[in-house]
Coordinates of all heavy atoms in Angstrom, one line a residue:
K1250 N -66.8 -24.0 -96.4 CA -65.4 -24.0 -96.2 C -64.9 -22.5 -95.9 O -65.4 -21.6 -96.5 CB -64.7 -24.5 -97.5 CG -64.6 -25.9 -97.6 CD -63.8 -26.2 -98.8 CE -63.4 -27.7 -98.8 NZ -62.6 -28.0 -100.0
E1251 N -63.9 -22.4 -95.1 CA -63.3 -21.1 -94.8 C -62.2 -20.9 -95.8 O -61.4 -21.7 -96.1 CB -62.7 -21.2 -93.4 CG -62.5 -19.8 -92.8 CD -62.1 -19.9 -91.4 OE1 -62.9 -20.4 -90.6 OE2 -60.9 -19.5 -91.1
R1252 N -62.3 -19.7 -96.4 CA -61.3 -19.3 -97.5 C -60.2 -18.5 -96.9 O -60.4 -17.5 -96.2 CB -62.0 -18.5 -98.6 CG -61.2 -18.2 -99.8 CD -62.1 -17.6 -100.9 NE -61.3 -17.1 -102.0 CZ -60.7 -15.9 -102.0 NH1 -60.8 -15.1 -101.0 NH2 -60.1 -15.5 -103.0
K1253 N -59.0 -18.9 -97.1 CA -57.8 -18.1 -96.7 C -57.7 -16.8 -97.5 O -57.8 -16.9 -98.7 CB -56.5 -19.0 -96.8 CG -55.3 -18.4 -96.2 CD -54.2 -19.3 -96.3 CE -53.0 -18.7 -95.6 NZ -51.8 -19.5 -95.7
E1254 N -57.5 -15.7 -96.8 CA -57.4 -14.4 -97.5 C -56.1 -14.4 -98.3 O -55.0 -14.9 -97.9 CB -57.3 -13.3 -96.5 CG -58.7 -13.1 -95.8 CD -58.6 -11.9 -94.9 OE1 -57.8 -10.9 -95.2 OE2 -59.4 -11.8 -93.9
D1255 N -56.2 -13.7 -99.5 CA -55.0 -13.5 -100.3 C -54.1 -12.5 -99.7 O -54.5 -11.5 -99.1 CB -55.4 -13.0 -101.7 CG -56.2 -14.1 -102.5 OD1 -56.0 -15.3 -102.2 OD2 -57.1 -13.7 -103.3
P1256 N -52.8 -12.7 -99.8 CA -51.9 -11.7 -99.3 C -52.0 -10.4 -100.1 O -52.4 -10.4 -101.2 CB -50.5 -12.4 -99.5 CG -50.7 -13.4 -100.6 CD -52.1 -13.8 -100.5
P1257 N -51.6 -9.3 -99.5 CA -51.6 -8.0 -100.2 C -50.8 -8.1 -101.4 O -49.8 -8.8 -101.5 CB -51.0 -7.0 -99.2 CG -51.0 -7.7 -97.9 CD -51.1 -9.2 -98.1
A1258 N -51.1 -7.3 -102.4 CA -50.5 -7.3 -103.7 C -49.0 -7.0 -103.6 O -48.2 -7.4 -104.4 CB -51.1 -6.3 -104.7
M1259 N -48.6 -6.2 -102.6 CA -47.2 -5.8 -102.5 C -46.4 -6.7 -101.5 O -45.3 -6.4 -101.2 CB -47.1 -4.3 -101.9 CG -47.7 -3.3 -102.8 SD -46.8 -3.1 -104.3 CE -45.3 -2.4 -103.8
A1260 N -47.0 -7.8 -101.1 CA -46.3 -8.7 -100.2 C -45.0 -9.2 -100.8 O -44.9 -9.5 -102.0 CB -47.2 -9.9 -99.9
I1261 N -44.0 -9.3 -100.0 CA -42.7 -9.9 -100.4 C -42.4 -11.1 -99.6 O -42.9 -11.3 -98.5 CB -41.6 -8.8 -100.4 CG1 -41.4 -8.3 -98.9 CG2 -41.8 -7.7 -101.3 CD1 -40.2 -7.4 -98.8
S1262 N -41.5 -11.9 -100.1 CA -41.1 -13.2 -99.4 C -40.3 -12.8 -98.1 O -39.7 -11.7 -98.0 CB -40.3 -14.1 -100.3 OG -39.0 -13.6 -100.5
G1263 N -40.2 -13.7 -97.2 CA -39.4 -13.5 -96.0 C -37.9 -13.3 -96.4 O -37.3 -12.4 -95.8
R1264 N -37.4 -14.0 -97.4 CA -36.0 -13.8 -97.8 C -35.8 -12.4 -98.4 O -34.8 -11.7 -98.1 CB -35.6 -14.8 -98.9 CG -35.4 -16.2 -98.3 CD -34.9 -17.1 -99.3 NE -34.9 -18.5 -98.6 CZ -34.3 -19.5 -99.2 NH1 -33.7 -19.4 -100.4 NH2 -34.3 -20.6 -98.5
E1265 N -36.8 -11.9 -99.2 CA -36.7 -10.6 -99.8 C -36.8 -9.5 -98.7 O -36.0 -8.5 -98.7 CB -37.8 -10.3 -100.8 CG -37.7 -11.1 -102.1 CD -38.9 -11.0 -102.9 OE1 -40.1 -11.0 -102.4 OE2 -38.7 -10.9 -104.2
A1266 N -37.7 -9.7 -97.7 CA -37.8 -8.8 -96.6 C -36.5 -8.7 -95.8 O -36.0 -7.6 -95.5 CB -38.9 -9.2 -95.7
L1267 N -35.9 -9.9 -95.5 CA -34.6 -9.9 -94.8 C -33.5 -9.2 -95.6 O -32.8 -8.4 -95.0 CB -34.3 -11.4 -94.5 CG -32.9 -11.5 -93.7 CD1 -33.0 -10.8 -92.4 CD2 -32.7 -13.0 -93.5
A1268 N -33.5 -9.5 -96.9 CA -32.4 -8.8 -97.7 C -32.6 -7.3 -97.7 O -31.6 -6.6 -97.6 CB -32.5 -9.4 -99.1
L1269 N -33.8 -6.9 -97.8 CA -34.1 -5.4 -97.7 C -33.7 -4.8 -96.4 O -33.0 -3.8 -96.3 CB -35.6 -5.1 -98.0 CG -36.0 -3.7 -98.0 CD1 -35.2 -2.9 -99.0 CD2 -37.5 -3.6 -98.2
L1270 N -34.0 -5.5 -95.3 CA -33.7 -5.0 -94.0 C -32.1 -5.0 -93.8 O -31.6 -4.1 -93.2 CB -34.3 -5.9 -92.9 CG -35.8 -5.8 -92.7 CD1 -36.3 -6.8 -91.7 CD2 -36.2 -4.4 -92.3
Q1271 N -31.5 -6.0 -94.3 CA -30.0 -6.1 -94.2 C -29.4 -4.9 -95.0 O -28.3 -4.4 -94.6 CB -29.5 -7.4 -94.7 CG -29.7 -8.6 -93.7 CD -29.3 -9.9 -94.3 OE1 -29.6 -10.2 -95.5 NE2 -28.7 -10.7 -93.5
S1272 N -30.0 -4.6 -96.1 CA -29.4 -3.5 -96.9 C -29.6 -2.1 -96.2 O -28.9 -1.2 -96.3 CB -30.0 -3.4 -98.3 OG -31.3 -3.0 -98.3
M1273 N -30.7 -2.0 -95.4 CA -31.1 -0.8 -94.7 C -30.3 -0.7 -93.4 O -30.0 0.5 -93.0 CB -32.6 -0.7 -94.5 CG -33.4 -0.6 -95.7 SD -35.2 -0.8 -95.4 CE -35.5 0.8 -94.6
F1274 N -30.1 -1.8 -92.7 CA -29.5 -1.8 -91.4 C -28.3 -2.7 -91.4 O -28.3 -3.8 -90.8 CB -30.6 -2.2 -90.3 CG -31.8 -1.4 -90.4 CD1 -33.0 -1.8 -91.0 CD2 -31.8 -0.1 -89.8 CE1 -34.1 -1.1 -91.0 CE2 -33.0 0.7 -89.9 CZ -34.1 0.2 -90.5
Q1275 N -27.3 -2.2 -92.0 CA -26.1 -3.0 -92.2 C -25.3 -3.4 -90.9 O -24.6 -4.3 -90.8 CB -25.1 -2.3 -93.2 CG -25.8 -2.2 -94.5 CD -24.9 -1.4 -95.5 OE1 -23.8 -1.0 -95.2 NE2 -25.5 -1.2 -96.7
D1276 N -25.6 -2.6 -89.8 CA -24.9 -2.8 -88.6 C -25.6 -3.9 -87.7 O -25.1 -4.4 -86.7 CB -24.8 -1.5 -87.7 CG -23.9 -0.5 -88.3 OD1 -23.1 -0.9 -89.2 OD2 -24.1 0.7 -88.0
W1277 N -26.8 -4.3 -88.2 CA -27.6 -5.3 -87.4 C -27.3 -6.7 -88.0 O -27.1 -6.9 -89.2 CB -29.1 -5.0 -87.6 CG -29.6 -3.9 -86.8 CD1 -29.2 -2.6 -86.9 CD2 -30.6 -3.9 -85.8 NE1 -29.9 -1.8 -86.0 CE2 -30.8 -2.6 -85.3 CE3 -31.4 -5.0 -85.3 CZ2 -31.7 -2.3 -84.3 CZ3 -32.3 -4.7 -84.3 CH2 -32.4 -3.4 -83.8
D1278 N -27.2 -7.7 -87.1 CA -26.9 -9.0 -87.5 C -28.2 -9.7 -88.0 O -29.3 -9.3 -87.6 CB -26.3 -9.9 -86.4 CG -27.2 -10.0 -85.2 OD1 -28.1 -10.9 -85.2 OD2 -27.0 -9.2 -84.2
E1279 N -28.1 -10.7 -88.8 CA -29.2 -11.4 -89.4 C -30.2 -11.9 -88.4 O -31.4 -11.8 -88.5 CB -28.8 -12.5 -90.3 CG -29.9 -13.3 -91.1 CD -29.4 -14.3 -92.0 OE1 -28.3 -14.1 -92.6 OE2 -30.1 -15.3 -92.1
E1280 N -29.7 -12.5 -87.3 CA -30.6 -13.1 -86.3 C -31.5 -12.0 -85.7 O -32.7 -12.3 -85.5 CB -29.7 -13.8 -85.2 CG -30.5 -14.5 -84.2 CD -29.6 -15.2 -83.2 OE1 -28.5 -15.7 -83.5 OE2 -29.9 -15.2 -82.0
S1281 N -30.9 -10.9 -85.4 CA -31.7 -9.8 -84.8 C -32.8 -9.3 -85.8 O -33.9 -9.0 -85.4 CB -30.8 -8.6 -84.4 OG -29.9 -9.1 -83.4
L1282 N -32.4 -9.2 -87.0 CA -33.4 -8.7 -88.0 C -34.5 -9.7 -88.2 O -35.7 -9.3 -88.3 CB -32.7 -8.4 -89.4 CG -31.7 -7.2 -89.4 CD1 -31.0 -7.2 -90.7 CD2 -32.4 -5.9 -89.1
V1283 N -34.2 -11.0 -88.2 CA -35.2 -12.0 -88.3 C -36.2 -11.9 -87.1 O -37.4 -12.0 -87.3 CB -34.6 -13.4 -88.5 CG1 -35.6 -14.5 -88.3 CG2 -33.9 -13.6 -89.8
A1284 N -35.6 -11.8 -85.9 CA -36.4 -11.7 -84.7 C -37.3 -10.5 -84.8 O -38.5 -10.6 -84.4 CB -35.5 -11.6 -83.5
M1285 N -36.8 -9.3 -85.3 CA -37.7 -8.1 -85.4 C -38.8 -8.4 -86.4 O -39.9 -8.0 -86.1 CB -36.8 -6.9 -85.8 CG -35.8 -6.5 -84.8 SD -36.5 -6.0 -83.2 CE -37.0 -4.4 -83.7
L1286 N -38.5 -9.0 -87.5 CA -39.5 -9.2 -88.5 C -40.5 -10.2 -88.0 O -41.7 -10.0 -88.2 CB -38.8 -9.8 -89.8 CG -39.5 -9.9 -91.1 CD1 -40.0 -8.5 -91.5 CD2 -38.6 -10.4 -92.2
Q1287 N -40.1 -11.2 -87.3 CA -41.1 -12.1 -86.7 C -42.0 -11.5 -85.6 O -43.2 -11.7 -85.5 CB -40.4 -13.3 -86.1 CG -39.8 -14.3 -87.1 CD -38.9 -15.4 -86.5 OE1 -38.5 -15.3 -85.4 NE2 -38.6 -16.4 -87.3
A1288 N -41.3 -10.6 -84.8 CA -42.1 -9.9 -83.8 C -43.2 -9.0 -84.4 O -44.2 -8.8 -83.7 CB -41.1 -9.1 -82.9
N1289 N -43.0 -8.6 -85.6 CA -43.9 -7.7 -86.3 C -44.8 -8.5 -87.3 O -45.4 -7.9 -88.2 CB -43.2 -6.5 -86.9 CG -42.8 -5.5 -85.9 OD1 -43.6 -4.8 -85.3 ND2 -41.5 -5.5 -85.6
H1290 N -44.8 -9.8 -87.2 CA -45.6 -10.7 -88.0 C -45.3 -10.4 -89.5 O -46.2 -10.5 -90.3 CB -47.1 -10.6 -87.7 CG -47.3 -10.8 -86.3 ND1 -47.3 -12.0 -85.7 CD2 -47.6 -9.9 -85.3 CE1 -47.6 -11.8 -84.4 NE2 -47.8 -10.6 -84.1
G1291 N -44.0 -10.1 -89.9 CA -43.7 -9.9 -91.2 C -44.0 -8.6 -91.8 O -43.8 -8.3 -93.0
H1292 N -44.6 -7.7 -91.0 CA -45.0 -6.4 -91.5 C -43.8 -5.5 -91.6 O -43.2 -5.1 -90.6 CB -46.1 -5.8 -90.5 CG -46.8 -4.6 -91.1 ND1 -46.2 -3.4 -91.2 CD2 -48.0 -4.4 -91.6 CE1 -47.0 -2.5 -91.7 NE2 -48.2 -3.1 -91.9
M1293 N -43.4 -5.2 -92.8 CA -42.1 -4.4 -93.0 C -42.2 -3.0 -92.4 O -41.2 -2.6 -91.8 CB -41.8 -4.3 -94.5 CG -41.3 -5.6 -95.1 SD -39.7 -6.1 -94.4 CE -38.6 -4.8 -95.2
E1294 N -43.3 -2.3 -92.6 CA -43.3 -0.9 -92.1 C -43.2 -0.9 -90.6 O -42.4 -0.1 -90.1 CB -44.6 -0.3 -92.6 CG -44.6 1.2 -92.2 CD -45.9 1.9 -92.7 OE1 -46.7 1.3 -93.5 OE2 -46.1 3.1 -92.3
H1295 N -43.9 -1.8 -89.9 CA -43.8 -1.8 -88.5 C -42.4 -2.3 -88.0 O -41.8 -1.7 -87.1 CB -44.8 -2.8 -87.9 CG -46.2 -2.3 -88.1 ND1 -47.3 -3.1 -87.8 CD2 -46.7 -1.1 -88.4 CE1 -48.4 -2.4 -88.1 NE2 -48.1 -1.2 -88.4
T1296 N -41.8 -3.2 -88.8 CA -40.4 -3.7 -88.4 C -39.4 -2.5 -88.6 O -38.6 -2.3 -87.7 CB -40.0 -4.9 -89.4 OG1 -41.0 -5.9 -89.2 CG2 -38.7 -5.4 -89.0
I1297 N -39.5 -1.8 -89.7 CA -38.6 -0.7 -89.9 C -38.7 0.4 -88.9 O -37.8 0.9 -88.3 CB -38.8 -0.2 -91.3 CG1 -38.3 -1.2 -92.4 CG2 -38.0 1.2 -91.5 CD1 -38.7 -0.9 -93.8
E1298 N -40.0 0.7 -88.5 CA -40.2 1.7 -87.5 C -39.7 1.3 -86.2 O -39.0 2.1 -85.4 CB -41.7 2.0 -87.4 CG -42.3 2.8 -88.5 CD -43.8 2.9 -88.5 OE1 -44.4 2.4 -87.5 OE2 -44.4 3.5 -89.4
M1299 N -39.8 0.0 -85.8 CA -39.3 -0.5 -84.5 C -37.8 -0.4 -84.5 O -37.2 0.0 -83.5 CB -39.8 -1.9 -84.3 CG -39.4 -2.5 -82.9 SD -40.0 -4.2 -82.7 CE -41.6 -3.8 -82.0
I1300 N -37.2 -0.8 -85.6 CA -35.7 -0.8 -85.7 C -35.2 0.6 -85.6 O -34.2 0.9 -84.8 CB -35.2 -1.5 -86.9 CG1 -35.5 -3.0 -86.9 CG2 -33.7 -1.3 -87.1 CD1 -35.2 -3.7 -88.2
L1301 N -35.8 1.5 -86.3 CA -35.4 2.9 -86.2 C -35.5 3.5 -84.8 O -34.7 4.3 -84.3 CB -36.2 3.8 -87.2 CG -35.9 3.6 -88.6 CD1 -36.9 4.4 -89.5 CD2 -34.5 4.0 -88.9
R1302 N -36.6 3.1 -84.1 CA -36.7 3.6 -82.7 C -35.6 3.0 -81.8 O -35.2 3.6 -80.8 CB -38.1 3.2 -82.1 CG -39.2 4.1 -82.6 CD -40.5 3.9 -81.8 NE -40.9 2.5 -81.7 CZ -41.8 1.9 -82.6 NH1 -42.3 2.6 -83.6 NH2 -42.2 0.7 -82.4
M1303 N -35.2 1.8 -82.1 CA -34.2 1.1 -81.3 C -32.7 1.5 -81.6 O -31.8 1.4 -80.8 CB -34.3 -0.4 -81.4 CG -35.6 -0.9 -80.8 SD -35.8 -2.7 -81.1 CE -34.5 -3.3 -80.0
D1304 N -32.5 1.8 -82.9 CA -31.2 2.1 -83.4 C -30.7 3.5 -83.1 O -31.1 4.4 -83.9 CB -31.2 1.8 -84.9 CG -29.8 1.8 -85.5 OD1 -28.8 2.0 -84.8 OD2 -29.7 1.6 -86.7
T1305 N -29.9 3.7 -82.1 CA -29.5 5.0 -81.7 C -28.5 5.6 -82.7 O -28.2 6.8 -82.7 CB -28.9 5.0 -80.3 OG1 -27.8 4.1 -80.3 CG2 -29.9 4.6 -79.3
S1306 N -27.9 4.7 -83.6 CA -27.0 5.3 -84.5 C -27.7 5.8 -85.8 O -27.0 6.4 -86.6 CB -25.9 4.2 -84.9 OG -26.6 3.2 -85.7
S1307 N -29.0 5.6 -85.9 CA -29.7 6.0 -87.1 C -29.9 7.5 -87.0 O -30.2 8.1 -86.0 CB -31.1 5.3 -87.1 OG -31.9 5.9 -88.0
P1308 N -29.8 8.2 -88.2 CA -30.0 9.6 -88.2 C -31.4 10.0 -87.9 O -31.6 11.1 -87.4 CB -29.7 10.0 -89.7 CG -29.0 8.8 -90.3 CD -29.3 7.6 -89.5
A1309 N -32.3 9.1 -88.0 CA -33.7 9.4 -87.7 C -33.9 9.6 -86.2 O -34.8 10.3 -85.8 CB -34.6 8.3 -88.2
V1310 N -33.1 9.1 -85.4 CA -33.2 9.2 -84.0 C -32.0 9.7 -83.3 O -31.9 9.7 -82.1 CB -33.6 7.9 -83.3 CG1 -35.0 7.4 -83.7 CG2 -32.6 6.8 -83.6
A1311 N -31.0 10.2 -84.0 CA -29.8 10.7 -83.5 C -30.1 12.0 -82.7 O -31.0 12.7 -83.1 CB -28.8 10.9 -84.6
A1312 N -29.3 12.2 -81.7 CA -29.4 13.4 -80.9 C -29.1 14.7 -81.8 O -28.2 14.6 -82.6 CB -28.5 13.4 -79.7
P1313 N -29.7 15.8 -81.5 CA -29.4 17.0 -82.3 C -28.0 17.4 -81.9 O -27.5 17.1 -80.9 CB -30.4 18.0 -81.8 CG -30.9 17.5 -80.5 CD -30.8 16.0 -80.5
P1314 N -27.3 18.2 -82.8 CA -26.0 18.6 -82.5 C -26.0 19.6 -81.3 O -27.0 20.2 -81.0 CB -25.6 19.4 -83.8 CG -26.8 19.7 -84.4 CD -27.8 18.7 -84.1
P1315 N -24.9 19.6 -80.5 CA -24.8 20.4 -79.3 C -24.9 21.9 -79.7 O -24.5 22.3 -80.8 CB -23.5 20.1 -78.7 CG -22.7 19.5 -79.8 CD -23.6 18.9 -80.8
V1316 N -25.6 22.7 -78.8 CA -25.7 24.1 -79.1 C -24.4 24.8 -78.7 O -23.8 24.5 -77.6 CB -26.9 24.7 -78.2 CG1 -27.0 26.2 -78.4 CG2 -28.1 24.0 -78.6
P1317 N -23.8 25.6 -79.6 CA -22.6 26.2 -79.2 C -22.7 27.2 -78.0 O -23.8 27.8 -77.9 CB -22.2 27.0 -80.5 CG -23.4 27.1 -81.3 CD -24.3 26.0 -80.9
P1318 N -21.7 27.4 -77.2 CA -21.8 28.3 -76.1 C -22.0 29.7 -76.6 O -21.6 30.1 -77.6 CB -20.5 28.1 -75.4 CG -19.6 27.5 -76.4 CD -20.4 26.8 -77.4
V1319 N -22.7 30.5 -75.7 CA -22.9 31.9 -76.0 C -21.7 32.7 -75.8 O -21.1 32.5 -74.7 CB -24.1 32.4 -75.2 CG1 -24.3 33.9 -75.4 CG2 -25.4 31.7 -75.4
A1320 N -21.3 33.4 -76.8 CA -20.0 34.2 -76.6 C -20.3 35.4 -75.7 O -21.4 36.0 -75.7 CB -19.6 34.7 -78.0
P1321 N -19.3 35.8 -75.0 CA -19.4 37.0 -74.1 C -19.6 38.2 -75.0 O -19.2 38.2 -76.2 CB -18.1 37.0 -73.3 CG -17.2 36.2 -74.1 CD -18.0 35.2 -74.8
P1322 N -20.2 39.3 -74.5 CA -20.4 40.5 -75.3 C -19.0 41.0 -75.7 O -18.0 40.9 -75.0 CB -21.1 41.4 -74.4 CG -21.0 40.9 -73.0 CD -20.7 39.4 -73.1
P1323 N -19.0 41.7 -76.8 CA -17.7 42.3 -77.3 C -17.3 43.4 -76.2 O -18.1 43.9 -75.5 CB -18.1 43.0 -78.6 CG -19.4 42.5 -79.0 CD -20.0 41.9 -77.8
E1324 N -16.0 43.6 -76.2 CA -15.5 44.6 -75.2 C -16.1 46.0 -75.4 O -16.3 46.7 -74.4 CB -14.0 44.7 -75.4 CG -13.2 43.5 -75.0 CD -13.4 43.1 -73.5 OE1 -13.4 44.1 -72.7 OE2 -13.5 42.0 -73.2
S1325 N -16.6 46.3 -76.5 CA -17.2 47.6 -76.7 C -18.5 47.8 -76.0 O -18.9 48.9 -75.7 CB -17.3 47.9 -78.2 OG -18.2 46.9 -78.8
L1326 N -19.2 46.6 -75.7 CA -20.4 46.7 -75.0 C -20.3 46.6 -73.5 O -21.2 46.9 -72.8 CB -21.3 45.5 -75.5 CG -21.8 45.6 -76.9 CD1 -22.7 44.4 -77.2 CD2 -22.6 46.8 -77.1
A1327 N -19.1 46.2 -73.0 CA -18.9 46.0 -71.6 C -19.2 47.3 -70.8 O -19.9 47.3 -69.8 CB -17.5 45.5 -71.3
P1328 N -18.7 48.5 -71.2 CA -19.0 49.7 -70.4 C -20.5 50.0 -70.4 O -21.0 50.4 -69.4 CB -18.2 50.8 -71.2 CG -17.2 50.1 -71.9 CD -17.7 48.8 -72.3
K1329 N -21.2 49.8 -71.5 CA -22.6 50.0 -71.6 C -23.4 49.1 -70.6 O -24.3 49.5 -69.9 CB -23.2 49.8 -73.0 CG -24.6 50.1 -73.1 CD -25.1 50.1 -74.5 CE -26.6 50.3 -74.7 NZ -27.5 50.4 -73.6
I1330 N -22.9 47.8 -70.6 CA -23.6 46.9 -69.7 C -23.4 47.3 -68.2 O -24.3 47.3 -67.4 CB -23.0 45.5 -69.9 CG1 -23.5 45.0 -71.3 CG2 -23.5 44.5 -68.8 CD1 -22.9 43.6 -71.7
D1331 N -22.2 47.8 -67.9 CA -21.9 48.3 -66.5 C -22.8 49.5 -66.2 O -23.3 49.5 -65.1 CB -20.4 48.7 -66.4 CG -19.5 47.5 -66.4 OD1 -19.9 46.3 -66.2 OD2 -18.3 47.6 -66.7
L1332 N -22.9 50.4 -67.2 CA -23.8 51.5 -66.9 C -25.3 51.1 -66.7 O -26.0 51.6 -65.9 CB -23.7 52.5 -68.1 CG -22.4 53.3 -68.2 CD1 -22.3 54.1 -69.5 CD2 -22.2 54.2 -67.0
D1333 N -25.7 50.1 -67.5 CA -27.1 49.6 -67.4 C -27.3 49.0 -66.0 O -28.3 49.2 -65.4 CB -27.4 48.6 -68.5 CG -27.5 49.2 -69.9 OD1 -27.6 50.4 -70.0 OD2 -27.5 48.4 -70.8
L1334 N -26.3 48.2 -65.5 CA -26.4 47.6 -64.2 C -26.5 48.7 -63.1 O -27.3 48.6 -62.2 CB -25.2 46.7 -64.0 CG -25.3 45.4 -64.7 CD1 -24.0 44.6 -64.6 CD2 -26.4 44.5 -64.3
E1335 N -25.6 49.7 -63.2 CA -25.6 50.8 -62.3 C -27.0 51.5 -62.3 O -27.5 51.8 -61.2 CB -24.5 51.8 -62.5 CG -24.3 52.9 -61.5 CD -24.1 52.4 -60.1 OE1 -23.5 51.3 -59.9 OE2 -24.6 53.0 -59.2
L1336 N -27.5 51.8 -63.4 CA -28.8 52.5 -63.5 C -29.9 51.6 -62.9 O -30.8 52.1 -62.1 CB -29.2 52.8 -65.0 CG -30.5 53.4 -65.3 CD1 -30.6 54.8 -64.5 CD2 -30.8 53.6 -66.7
A1337 N -29.9 50.3 -63.1 CA -30.9 49.4 -62.5 C -30.7 49.4 -61.0 O -31.8 49.4 -60.3 CB -30.7 48.0 -63.1
R1338 N -29.5 49.4 -60.5 CA -29.3 49.5 -59.0 C -29.9 50.8 -58.5 O -30.6 50.8 -57.4 CB -27.9 49.4 -58.7 CG -27.3 48.0 -58.7 CD -25.9 48.0 -58.2 NE -25.2 46.8 -58.8 CZ -24.2 46.9 -59.7 NH1 -23.8 48.0 -60.2 NH2 -23.7 45.8 -60.2
Q1339 N -29.6 51.9 -59.1 CA -30.1 53.2 -58.7 C -31.6 53.3 -58.7 O -32.3 53.7 -57.7 CB -29.6 54.4 -59.5 CG -28.1 54.6 -59.3 CD -27.6 55.7 -60.2 OE1 -28.3 56.2 -61.1 NE2 -26.3 56.0 -60.1
L1340 N -32.3 52.7 -59.7 CA -33.7 52.7 -59.8 C -34.3 51.9 -58.7 O -35.4 52.2 -58.2 CB -34.2 52.3 -61.2 CG -33.9 53.2 -62.4 CD1 -34.2 52.6 -63.7 CD2 -34.7 54.5 -62.2
S1341 N -33.7 50.8 -58.4 CA -34.1 49.9 -57.4 C -34.1 50.5 -56.0 O -35.0 50.5 -55.2 CB -33.3 48.6 -57.4 OG -33.7 47.8 -56.3
I1342 N -33.0 51.3 -55.8 CA -32.8 52.0 -54.5 C -33.9 53.1 -54.4 O -34.5 53.2 -53.4 CB -31.4 52.6 -54.4 CG1 -30.4 51.5 -54.2 CG2 -31.3 53.6 -53.2 CD1 -29.0 51.9 -54.4
E1343 N -34.1 53.9 -55.5 CA -35.1 54.9 -55.5 C -36.5 54.3 -55.3 O -37.3 54.9 -54.5 CB -35.1 55.7 -56.8 CG -33.9 56.6 -56.9 CD -33.8 57.3 -58.3 OE1 -34.8 57.2 -59.0 OE2 -32.8 57.8 -58.6
D1344 N -36.8 53.2 -55.9 CA -38.1 52.6 -55.8 C -38.3 52.1 -54.3 O -39.4 52.3 -53.8 CB -38.2 51.4 -56.7 CG -39.6 50.8 -56.7 OD1 -40.6 51.5 -56.8 OD2 -39.7 49.5 -56.7
S1345 N -37.3 51.5 -53.7 CA -37.4 51.1 -52.4 C -37.6 52.2 -51.4 O -38.4 52.1 -50.5 CB -36.1 50.3 -51.9 OG -36.0 49.1 -52.7
S1346 N -36.9 53.3 -51.6 CA -37.0 54.5 -50.7 C -38.3 55.2 -50.8 O -38.9 55.8 -49.9 CB -35.8 55.4 -50.8 OG -35.8 55.9 -52.1
S1347 N -38.9 55.2 -52.1 CA -40.2 55.9 -52.3 C -41.3 55.1 -51.6 O -42.4 55.6 -51.3 CB -40.5 56.1 -53.8 OG -40.6 54.9 -54.4
R1348 N -41.2 53.8 -51.5 CA -42.2 52.9 -50.8 C -42.1 53.0 -49.3 O -43.1 52.7 -48.6 CB -42.0 51.5 -51.2 CG -42.3 51.2 -52.7 CD -42.2 49.8 -53.0 NE -42.4 49.5 -54.4 CZ -42.4 48.4 -55.0 NH1 -42.2 47.3 -54.2 NH2 -42.6 48.2 -56.2
A1349 N -41.0 53.4 -48.8 CA -40.8 53.5 -47.3 C -41.5 54.7 -46.7 O -42.0 55.5 -47.1 CB -39.3 53.5 -47.0

């Protein structure tokens, strides 16, 4: 005779699994949660991982906050930047004329 394997010690009933999923994913309707659970053959960890990947409102997959724009340099640095640009132009002209 073929012996049916015992379920894992931590196995929970379908109703308990659904109740747990509903408490974790309150924005999901019962029908969708049942379908996800069935698609994963009742495996809770796989079901939760799949829902997290699909649920864009979940913090686990939410987009990172936008990067704030870079502030322009303070006015006190503006003259120095202008001088640096002028020096770079002069060096470029000297380099070009020394190659010719």
Side-chain angles (χ1 to χ4, degrees):
K1250 275 185 168 181
E1251 199 173 296
R1252 186 173 170 276
K1253 189 175 179 181
E1254 290 184 27
D1255 293 332
M1259 295 297 290
I1261 59 175
S1262 73
R1264 287 184 185 192
E1265 290 172 321
L1267 180 59
L1269 181 59
L1270 290 173
Q1271 286 175 317
S1272 71
M1273 294 172 69
F1274 304 103
Q1275 296 174 4
D1276 293 340
W1277 284 61
D1278 62 84
E1279 182 176 326
E1280 184 179 323
S1281 298
L1282 292 173
V1283 169
M1285 296 295 284
L1286 196 55
Q1287 289 173 343
N1289 287 287
H1290 307 287
H1292 193 285
M1293 284 295 289
E1294 186 175 351
H1295 293 168
T1296 301
I1297 292 167
E1298 288 173 1
M1299 182 180 274
I1300 293 170
L1301 288 173
R1302 283 194 305 267
M1303 295 176 69
D1304 189 0
T1305 57
S1306 67
S1307 169
V1310 293
V1316 177
V1319 177
E1324 291 299 320
S1325 61
L1326 292 180
K1329 180 174 179 354
I1330 291 173
D1331 290 340
L1332 290 173
D1333 289 346
L1334 288 172
E1335 183 58 35
L1336 178 60
R1338 282 188 204 106
Q1339 287 176 358
L1340 291 173
S1341 176
I1342 291 170
E1343 289 175 12
D1344 186 48
S1345 295
S1346 60
S1347 67
R1348 291 184 184 181

